[in-house]
Amino acid sequence: MLTDIHPKLPMRNQAITKDFYINKLGFHQLGSKEYDNYLMVKKDDIEIHFFLFKKLKPKKNYGMVYIRTEAIDALYQKFLDNKITIHPNAPLKTQPWGQKEFSILDPDHNLLTFGQDVDSIQ
């Protein structure tokens, strides 16, 4: 039986990735040990892992994660308040498939899309 999924995304610089996810997005680092080539972060029930890929060309990176939320409007506003750049092609919008969603890019151009089922929005 499957229980969880923890995507693994590439990063070029662990310090920059760590700063972005912890200080801008509000994740915390998992574990008490630092690994030179690996980073694990968590926020609420979402866990994302990163592996070092120094030769990554961000404009050619196709890393993507879809993250569901129960408070899309509040999350979007919090990101705006924290001056997190919203992807220019993916502002907060209700999609034809019944999700209200928006996207951002991390420092390595991993695409993070956040979405909520429109039927669950109060």
Side-chain angles (χ1 to χ4, degrees), residues 36-83:
D36 290 335
N37 300 320
Y38 206 76
L39 174 67
M40 298 177 289
V41 296
K42 183 172 184 167
K43 180 175 177 151
D44 302 323
D45 293 329
I46 301 302
E47 188 174 317
I48 305 174
H49 296 205
F50 298 89
F51 61 93
L52 188 63
F53 185 11
K54 289 185 179 184
K55 293 184 179 183
L56 175 72
K57 295 188 182 342
K59 299 285 185 177
K60 294 184 177 186
N61 182 9
Y62 295 103
M64 293 183 245
V65 178
Y66 193 97
I67 302 170
R68 296 201 183 270
T69 180
E70 296 174 337
I72 192 74
D73 293 309
L75 181 64
Y76 186 74
Q77 189 58 54
K78 183 174 184 177
F79 282 13
L80 291 176
D81 293 346
N82 289 340
K83 309 236 183 309

CSV table of all heavy atoms in Angstrom, one decimal, residues 36-83:
chain,number,residue,atom,x,y,z
A,36,ASP,N,26.3,16.9,2.6
A,36,ASP,CA,26.9,17.7,1.5
A,36,ASP,C,26.1,17.8,0.3
A,36,ASP,O,26.0,18.8,-0.4
A,36,ASP,CB,28.4,17.3,1.2
A,36,ASP,CG,29.3,17.5,2.3
A,36,ASP,OD1,29.1,18.4,3.2
A,36,ASP,OD2,30.3,16.8,2.4
A,37,ASN,N,25.6,16.7,-0.1
A,37,ASN,CA,24.9,16.6,-1.5
A,37,ASN,C,23.4,16.4,-1.4
A,37,ASN,O,22.8,16.0,-2.4
A,37,ASN,CB,25.6,15.5,-2.3
A,37,ASN,CG,27.1,15.8,-2.5
A,37,ASN,OD1,27.5,16.9,-2.7
A,37,ASN,ND2,27.9,14.7,-2.4
A,38,TYR,N,22.8,16.6,-0.2
A,38,TYR,CA,21.4,16.2,-0.1
A,38,TYR,C,20.8,17.1,0.9
A,38,TYR,O,21.4,17.5,1.9
A,38,TYR,CB,21.3,14.8,0.4
A,38,TYR,CG,20.0,14.1,0.0
A,38,TYR,CD1,19.8,13.7,-1.3
A,38,TYR,CD2,19.0,13.9,0.9
A,38,TYR,CE1,18.6,13.1,-1.7
A,38,TYR,CE2,17.8,13.3,0.6
A,38,TYR,CZ,17.6,12.9,-0.7
A,38,TYR,OH,16.4,12.3,-1.1
A,39,LEU,N,19.5,17.5,0.7
A,39,LEU,CA,18.7,18.4,1.6
A,39,LEU,C,17.3,17.8,1.6
A,39,LEU,O,16.7,17.5,0.6
A,39,LEU,CB,18.7,19.8,1.0
A,39,LEU,CG,17.9,20.8,1.8
A,39,LEU,CD1,18.4,21.1,3.2
A,39,LEU,CD2,17.8,22.1,1.0
A,40,MET,N,16.7,17.8,2.8
A,40,MET,CA,15.3,17.4,3.0
A,40,MET,C,14.6,18.5,3.8
A,40,MET,O,15.1,19.0,4.8
A,40,MET,CB,15.2,16.1,3.8
A,40,MET,CG,15.9,14.9,3.1
A,40,MET,SD,15.8,13.4,4.1
A,40,MET,CE,17.0,13.8,5.4
A,41,VAL,N,13.5,19.0,3.3
A,41,VAL,CA,12.7,20.0,3.9
A,41,VAL,C,11.3,19.6,4.0
A,41,VAL,O,10.8,18.7,3.3
A,41,VAL,CB,12.8,21.4,3.2
A,41,VAL,CG1,14.2,21.9,3.2
A,41,VAL,CG2,12.3,21.3,1.8
A,42,LYS,N,10.6,20.2,5.0
A,42,LYS,CA,9.2,19.8,5.3
A,42,LYS,C,8.4,21.0,5.7
A,42,LYS,O,8.9,21.8,6.4
A,42,LYS,CB,9.1,18.7,6.3
A,42,LYS,CG,7.7,18.2,6.6
A,42,LYS,CD,7.7,17.0,7.5
A,42,LYS,CE,6.3,16.4,7.6
A,42,LYS,NZ,6.2,15.1,8.2
A,43,LYS,N,7.1,21.0,5.3
A,43,LYS,CA,6.2,22.0,5.8
A,43,LYS,C,4.8,21.3,5.8
A,43,LYS,O,4.4,20.7,4.8
A,43,LYS,CB,6.1,23.2,4.8
A,43,LYS,CG,5.1,24.3,5.3
A,43,LYS,CD,5.1,25.5,4.4
A,43,LYS,CE,4.1,26.4,4.9
A,43,LYS,NZ,4.4,27.8,4.7
A,44,ASP,N,4.2,21.4,7.0
A,44,ASP,CA,2.9,20.7,7.2
A,44,ASP,C,3.1,19.2,6.8
A,44,ASP,O,4.0,18.5,7.4
A,44,ASP,CB,1.8,21.3,6.4
A,44,ASP,CG,1.6,22.8,6.8
A,44,ASP,OD1,1.8,23.1,8.0
A,44,ASP,OD2,1.3,23.6,5.9
A,45,ASP,N,2.4,18.7,5.8
A,45,ASP,CA,2.5,17.3,5.4
A,45,ASP,C,3.3,17.1,4.2
A,45,ASP,O,3.4,16.0,3.6
A,45,ASP,CB,1.1,16.6,5.2
A,45,ASP,CG,0.4,16.5,6.5
A,45,ASP,OD1,1.0,16.3,7.6
A,45,ASP,OD2,-0.9,16.6,6.5
A,46,ILE,N,4.0,18.1,3.7
A,46,ILE,CA,4.7,18.1,2.5
A,46,ILE,C,6.2,18.0,2.7
A,46,ILE,O,6.8,18.8,3.5
A,46,ILE,CB,4.5,19.4,1.6
A,46,ILE,CG1,3.0,19.5,1.3
A,46,ILE,CG2,5.3,19.4,0.3
A,46,ILE,CD1,2.4,18.4,0.6
A,47,GLU,N,6.9,17.0,2.1
A,47,GLU,CA,8.3,16.8,2.3
A,47,GLU,C,8.9,16.8,0.9
A,47,GLU,O,8.4,16.1,0.0
A,47,GLU,CB,8.5,15.5,3.0
A,47,GLU,CG,10.0,15.2,3.4
A,47,GLU,CD,10.1,13.9,4.2
A,47,GLU,OE1,9.3,13.7,5.1
A,47,GLU,OE2,11.0,13.2,3.9
A,48,ILE,N,10.0,17.6,0.7
A,48,ILE,CA,10.7,17.6,-0.6
A,48,ILE,C,12.2,17.4,-0.3
A,48,ILE,O,12.7,17.9,0.6
A,48,ILE,CB,10.5,19.0,-1.3
A,48,ILE,CG1,9.0,19.4,-1.5
A,48,ILE,CG2,11.2,19.0,-2.6
A,48,ILE,CD1,8.8,20.8,-2.0
A,49,HIS,N,12.7,16.5,-1.2
A,49,HIS,CA,14.2,16.2,-1.1
A,49,HIS,C,14.9,16.9,-2.2
A,49,HIS,O,14.3,17.0,-3.3
A,49,HIS,CB,14.4,14.7,-1.1
A,49,HIS,CG,13.8,14.0,0.1
A,49,HIS,ND1,14.3,12.8,0.5
A,49,HIS,CD2,12.8,14.3,0.9
A,49,HIS,CE1,13.6,12.4,1.6
A,49,HIS,NE2,12.7,13.3,1.8
A,50,PHE,N,16.1,17.2,-2.1
A,50,PHE,CA,17.0,17.8,-3.1
A,50,PHE,C,18.3,17.1,-3.2
A,50,PHE,O,18.9,16.8,-2.2
A,50,PHE,CB,17.2,19.3,-2.8
A,50,PHE,CG,16.0,20.1,-2.8
A,50,PHE,CD1,15.3,20.3,-1.6
A,50,PHE,CD2,15.4,20.7,-3.9
A,50,PHE,CE1,14.1,21.0,-1.5
A,50,PHE,CE2,14.3,21.4,-3.9
A,50,PHE,CZ,13.6,21.5,-2.7
A,51,PHE,N,18.8,16.9,-4.4
A,51,PHE,CA,20.1,16.3,-4.6
A,51,PHE,C,21.0,17.3,-5.4
A,51,PHE,O,20.5,18.1,-6.2
A,51,PHE,CB,20.0,15.0,-5.4
A,51,PHE,CG,19.4,15.1,-6.8
A,51,PHE,CD1,20.2,15.3,-7.9
A,51,PHE,CD2,18.0,15.1,-7.0
A,51,PHE,CE1,19.7,15.4,-9.1
A,51,PHE,CE2,17.5,15.2,-8.2
A,51,PHE,CZ,18.3,15.4,-9.3
A,52,LEU,N,22.2,17.3,-5.0
A,52,LEU,CA,23.2,18.2,-5.7
A,52,LEU,C,23.4,17.9,-7.1
A,52,LEU,O,23.7,16.7,-7.5
A,52,LEU,CB,24.5,18.2,-4.9
A,52,LEU,CG,25.5,19.3,-5.3
A,52,LEU,CD1,24.9,20.7,-5.0
A,52,LEU,CD2,26.8,19.1,-4.6
A,53,PHE,N,23.2,18.9,-8.0
A,53,PHE,CA,23.5,18.7,-9.4
A,53,PHE,C,24.1,20.1,-9.9
A,53,PHE,O,23.4,20.9,-10.4
A,53,PHE,CB,22.2,18.5,-10.1
A,53,PHE,CG,22.3,18.2,-11.6
A,53,PHE,CD1,23.5,18.0,-12.2
A,53,PHE,CD2,21.1,18.1,-12.4
A,53,PHE,CE1,23.6,17.7,-13.6
A,53,PHE,CE2,21.2,17.9,-13.7
A,53,PHE,CZ,22.4,17.6,-14.3
A,54,LYS,N,25.4,20.2,-9.6
A,54,LYS,CA,26.1,21.5,-9.9
A,54,LYS,C,26.1,21.9,-11.3
A,54,LYS,O,26.1,23.1,-11.6
A,54,LYS,CB,27.5,21.4,-9.4
A,54,LYS,CG,27.7,21.3,-7.9
A,54,LYS,CD,29.1,21.4,-7.5
A,54,LYS,CE,29.2,21.4,-6.0
A,54,LYS,NZ,30.6,21.5,-5.5
A,55,LYS,N,26.0,21.0,-12.2
A,55,LYS,CA,26.0,21.3,-13.7
A,55,LYS,C,24.6,21.6,-14.2
A,55,LYS,O,24.4,21.8,-15.4
A,55,LYS,CB,26.7,20.2,-14.5
A,55,LYS,CG,28.2,20.1,-14.1
A,55,LYS,CD,28.9,19.1,-15.0
A,55,LYS,CE,30.3,19.1,-14.7
A,55,LYS,NZ,31.0,18.1,-15.5
A,56,LEU,N,23.6,21.6,-13.4
A,56,LEU,CA,22.2,21.9,-13.8
A,56,LEU,C,22.1,23.2,-14.5
A,56,LEU,O,22.7,24.2,-14.1
A,56,LEU,CB,21.3,21.9,-12.6
A,56,LEU,CG,19.8,22.2,-12.9
A,56,LEU,CD1,19.1,21.1,-13.6
A,56,LEU,CD2,19.1,22.5,-11.6
A,57,LYS,N,21.5,23.2,-15.6
A,57,LYS,CA,21.2,24.4,-16.4
A,57,LYS,C,19.7,24.8,-16.1
A,57,LYS,O,18.8,24.1,-16.6
A,57,LYS,CB,21.4,24.2,-17.9
A,57,LYS,CG,22.9,24.0,-18.2
A,57,LYS,CD,23.1,24.0,-19.7
A,57,LYS,CE,24.5,23.6,-20.1
A,57,LYS,NZ,25.6,23.7,-19.2
A,58,PRO,N,19.5,25.8,-15.2
A,58,PRO,CA,18.1,26.0,-14.8
A,58,PRO,C,17.1,26.2,-15.9
A,58,PRO,O,15.9,25.7,-15.7
A,58,PRO,CB,18.2,27.4,-14.0
A,58,PRO,CG,19.6,27.3,-13.5
A,58,PRO,CD,20.4,26.7,-14.6
A,59,LYS,N,17.4,26.8,-17.0
A,59,LYS,CA,16.5,27.0,-18.1
A,59,LYS,C,16.1,25.7,-18.8
A,59,LYS,O,15.1,25.6,-19.5
A,59,LYS,CB,17.0,28.0,-19.1
A,59,LYS,CG,17.3,29.4,-18.5
A,59,LYS,CD,16.0,30.2,-18.3
A,59,LYS,CE,16.4,31.6,-17.8
A,59,LYS,NZ,15.3,32.4,-17.7
A,60,LYS,N,16.9,24.6,-18.5
A,60,LYS,CA,16.6,23.3,-19.1
A,60,LYS,C,16.1,22.3,-18.0
A,60,LYS,O,16.0,21.2,-18.3
A,60,LYS,CB,17.9,22.8,-19.7
A,60,LYS,CG,18.3,23.6,-20.9
A,60,LYS,CD,19.5,22.9,-21.6
A,60,LYS,CE,19.8,23.7,-22.9
A,60,LYS,NZ,20.9,23.1,-23.6
A,61,ASN,N,15.8,22.9,-16.8
A,61,ASN,CA,15.3,22.0,-15.8
A,61,ASN,C,13.8,21.8,-15.9
A,61,ASN,O,13.0,22.8,-16.0
A,61,ASN,CB,15.6,22.6,-14.4
A,61,ASN,CG,15.2,21.8,-13.2
A,61,ASN,OD1,14.8,20.6,-13.4
A,61,ASN,ND2,15.3,22.4,-12.1
A,62,TYR,N,13.4,20.6,-15.8
A,62,TYR,CA,11.9,20.2,-15.9
A,62,TYR,C,11.4,19.7,-14.6
A,62,TYR,O,10.3,19.0,-14.6
A,62,TYR,CB,11.7,19.3,-17.1
A,62,TYR,CG,12.0,19.8,-18.4
A,62,TYR,CD1,13.2,19.5,-19.1
A,62,TYR,CD2,11.1,20.8,-19.0
A,62,TYR,CE1,13.4,20.1,-20.3
A,62,TYR,CE2,11.4,21.3,-20.2
A,62,TYR,CZ,12.6,21.0,-20.9
A,62,TYR,OH,12.9,21.6,-22.1
A,63,GLY,N,12.1,19.9,-13.5
A,63,GLY,CA,11.6,19.5,-12.2
A,63,GLY,C,10.3,20.2,-11.9
A,63,GLY,O,10.2,21.4,-12.0
A,64,MET,N,9.3,19.4,-11.5
A,64,MET,CA,8.0,20.0,-11.2
A,64,MET,C,7.3,19.2,-10.0
A,64,MET,O,7.5,18.0,-10.0
A,64,MET,CB,7.0,19.9,-12.4
A,64,MET,CG,7.4,20.7,-13.6
A,64,MET,SD,6.1,20.5,-14.9
A,64,MET,CE,7.1,19.7,-16.1
A,65,VAL,N,6.6,19.9,-9.2
A,65,VAL,CA,5.8,19.3,-8.1
A,65,VAL,C,4.5,20.0,-8.0
A,65,VAL,O,4.4,21.2,-8.1
A,65,VAL,CB,6.6,19.5,-6.8
A,65,VAL,CG1,5.8,18.9,-5.7
A,65,VAL,CG2,7.9,18.8,-6.8
A,66,TYR,N,3.4,19.2,-7.9
A,66,TYR,CA,2.1,19.8,-7.7
A,66,TYR,C,1.8,19.6,-6.2
A,66,TYR,O,1.8,18.5,-5.7
A,66,TYR,CB,1.0,19.1,-8.5
A,66,TYR,CG,-0.3,19.8,-8.6
A,66,TYR,CD1,-0.6,20.7,-9.7
A,66,TYR,CD2,-1.2,19.7,-7.6
A,66,TYR,CE1,-1.8,21.4,-9.7
A,66,TYR,CE2,-2.4,20.4,-7.6
A,66,TYR,CZ,-2.7,21.2,-8.7
A,66,TYR,OH,-3.9,21.9,-8.7
A,67,ILE,N,1.5,20.7,-5.5
A,67,ILE,CA,1.2,20.6,-4.0
A,67,ILE,C,-0.2,21.1,-3.8
A,67,ILE,O,-0.6,22.2,-4.1
A,67,ILE,CB,2.2,21.5,-3.3
A,67,ILE,CG1,3.7,21.1,-3.6
A,67,ILE,CG2,1.9,21.5,-1.8
A,67,ILE,CD1,4.7,22.0,-3.1
A,68,ARG,N,-1.0,20.2,-3.2
A,68,ARG,CA,-2.4,20.6,-2.8
A,68,ARG,C,-2.4,21.3,-1.5
A,68,ARG,O,-1.6,21.1,-0.6
A,68,ARG,CB,-3.2,19.3,-2.7
A,68,ARG,CG,-3.3,18.6,-4.1
A,68,ARG,CD,-4.6,17.8,-4.2
A,68,ARG,NE,-4.6,17.1,-5.4
A,68,ARG,CZ,-5.2,17.5,-6.5
A,68,ARG,NH1,-5.8,18.7,-6.5
A,68,ARG,NH2,-5.2,16.8,-7.6
A,69,THR,N,-3.3,22.2,-1.4
A,69,THR,CA,-3.5,23.0,-0.2
A,69,THR,C,-5.0,23.1,0.1
A,69,THR,O,-5.8,22.9,-0.7
A,69,THR,CB,-2.9,24.5,-0.4
A,69,THR,OG1,-3.1,25.2,0.9
A,69,THR,CG2,-3.5,25.2,-1.5
A,70,GLU,N,-5.3,23.5,1.4
A,70,GLU,CA,-6.6,23.7,1.8
A,70,GLU,C,-7.0,25.2,1.9
A,70,GLU,O,-8.1,25.5,2.4
A,70,GLU,CB,-6.9,23.0,3.1
A,70,GLU,CG,-6.8,21.5,3.1
A,70,GLU,CD,-6.8,20.8,4.4
A,70,GLU,OE1,-6.6,21.5,5.4
A,70,GLU,OE2,-7.1,19.6,4.4
A,71,ALA,N,-6.0,26.0,1.6
A,71,ALA,CA,-6.2,27.5,1.8
A,71,ALA,C,-5.4,28.2,0.7
A,71,ALA,O,-4.5,29.0,0.9
A,71,ALA,CB,-5.7,27.9,3.1
A,72,ILE,N,-5.8,28.0,-0.6
A,72,ILE,CA,-5.1,28.6,-1.7
A,72,ILE,C,-5.0,30.1,-1.7
A,72,ILE,O,-4.0,30.7,-2.0
A,72,ILE,CB,-5.7,28.1,-3.1
A,72,ILE,CG1,-4.7,28.4,-4.2
A,72,ILE,CG2,-7.0,28.6,-3.3
A,72,ILE,CD1,-3.5,27.5,-4.3
A,73,ASP,N,-6.1,30.8,-1.4
A,73,ASP,CA,-6.1,32.2,-1.4
A,73,ASP,C,-5.2,32.8,-0.3
A,73,ASP,O,-4.4,33.7,-0.6
A,73,ASP,CB,-7.5,32.8,-1.2
A,73,ASP,CG,-8.4,32.4,-2.3
A,73,ASP,OD1,-8.0,32.7,-3.5
A,73,ASP,OD2,-9.5,31.9,-2.1
A,74,ALA,N,-5.2,32.2,0.9
A,74,ALA,CA,-4.3,32.7,2.0
A,74,ALA,C,-2.8,32.4,1.6
A,74,ALA,O,-2.0,33.3,1.9
A,74,ALA,CB,-4.7,32.0,3.3
A,75,LEU,N,-2.6,31.2,1.1
A,75,LEU,CA,-1.2,30.9,0.7
A,75,LEU,C,-0.7,31.9,-0.4
A,75,LEU,O,0.4,32.4,-0.3
A,75,LEU,CB,-1.1,29.5,0.2
A,75,LEU,CG,0.3,29.0,-0.2
A,75,LEU,CD1,1.2,28.9,1.0
A,75,LEU,CD2,0.2,27.6,-0.8
A,76,TYR,N,-1.5,32.1,-1.4
A,76,TYR,CA,-1.1,33.1,-2.4
A,76,TYR,C,-0.8,34.5,-1.9
A,76,TYR,O,0.2,35.1,-2.2
A,76,TYR,CB,-2.3,33.1,-3.5
A,76,TYR,CG,-1.9,34.0,-4.7
A,76,TYR,CD1,-1.1,33.5,-5.7
A,76,TYR,CD2,-2.5,35.2,-4.9
A,76,TYR,CE1,-0.8,34.2,-6.8
A,76,TYR,CE2,-2.3,35.9,-6.0
A,76,TYR,CZ,-1.4,35.4,-7.0
A,76,TYR,OH,-1.1,36.2,-8.1
A,77,GLN,N,-1.7,34.9,-1.0
A,77,GLN,CA,-1.5,36.3,-0.4
A,77,GLN,C,-0.2,36.3,0.5
A,77,GLN,O,0.5,37.3,0.4
A,77,GLN,CB,-2.7,36.7,0.4
A,77,GLN,CG,-2.6,38.1,0.9
A,77,GLN,CD,-2.5,39.1,-0.2
A,77,GLN,OE1,-3.3,39.1,-1.2
A,77,GLN,NE2,-1.5,39.9,-0.2
A,78,LYS,N,0.0,35.2,1.2
A,78,LYS,CA,1.2,35.1,2.0
A,78,LYS,C,2.5,35.2,1.1
A,78,LYS,O,3.4,35.9,1.5
A,78,LYS,CB,1.3,33.8,2.9
A,78,LYS,CG,2.4,33.7,3.8
A,78,LYS,CD,2.3,32.5,4.7
A,78,LYS,CE,3.5,32.5,5.7
A,78,LYS,NZ,3.4,31.4,6.6
A,79,PHE,N,2.5,34.5,0.0
A,79,PHE,CA,3.6,34.5,-0.9
A,79,PHE,C,3.8,36.0,-1.5
A,79,PHE,O,4.9,36.5,-1.5
A,79,PHE,CB,3.4,33.5,-2.0
A,79,PHE,CG,3.8,32.1,-1.7
A,79,PHE,CD1,3.9,31.7,-0.3
A,79,PHE,CD2,3.9,31.2,-2.6
A,79,PHE,CE1,4.2,30.4,0.0
A,79,PHE,CE2,4.2,29.8,-2.3
A,79,PHE,CZ,4.4,29.5,-1.0
A,80,LEU,N,2.7,36.6,-1.8
A,80,LEU,CA,2.8,38.0,-2.3
A,80,LEU,C,3.3,38.9,-1.2
A,80,LEU,O,4.2,39.7,-1.5
A,80,LEU,CB,1.4,38.5,-2.7
A,80,LEU,CG,0.8,37.9,-4.0
A,80,LEU,CD1,-0.6,38.4,-4.2
A,80,LEU,CD2,1.7,38.1,-5.2
A,81,ASP,N,2.9,38.7,0.0
A,81,ASP,CA,3.3,39.6,1.1
A,81,ASP,C,4.8,39.3,1.4
A,81,ASP,O,5.5,40.3,1.8
A,81,ASP,CB,2.5,39.2,2.4
A,81,ASP,CG,1.1,39.7,2.3
A,81,ASP,OD1,0.7,40.5,1.4
A,81,ASP,OD2,0.3,39.2,3.2
A,82,ASN,N,5.3,38.1,1.2
A,82,ASN,CA,6.7,37.8,1.4
A,82,ASN,C,7.6,38.0,0.1
A,82,ASN,O,8.7,37.6,0.1
A,82,ASN,CB,6.9,36.3,1.8
A,82,ASN,CG,6.4,36.1,3.2
A,82,ASN,OD1,6.2,37.0,4.0
A,82,ASN,ND2,6.0,34.8,3.5
A,83,LYS,N,7.0,38.7,-0.9
A,83,LYS,CA,7.7,39.1,-2.1
A,83,LYS,C,8.2,37.9,-2.9
A,83,LYS,O,9.3,38.0,-3.5
A,83,LYS,CB,8.7,40.1,-1.8
A,83,LYS,CG,8.3,41.3,-0.9
A,83,LYS,CD,8.5,42.6,-1.6
A,83,LYS,CE,8.2,43.8,-0.8
A,83,LYS,NZ,6.9,43.9,-0.2
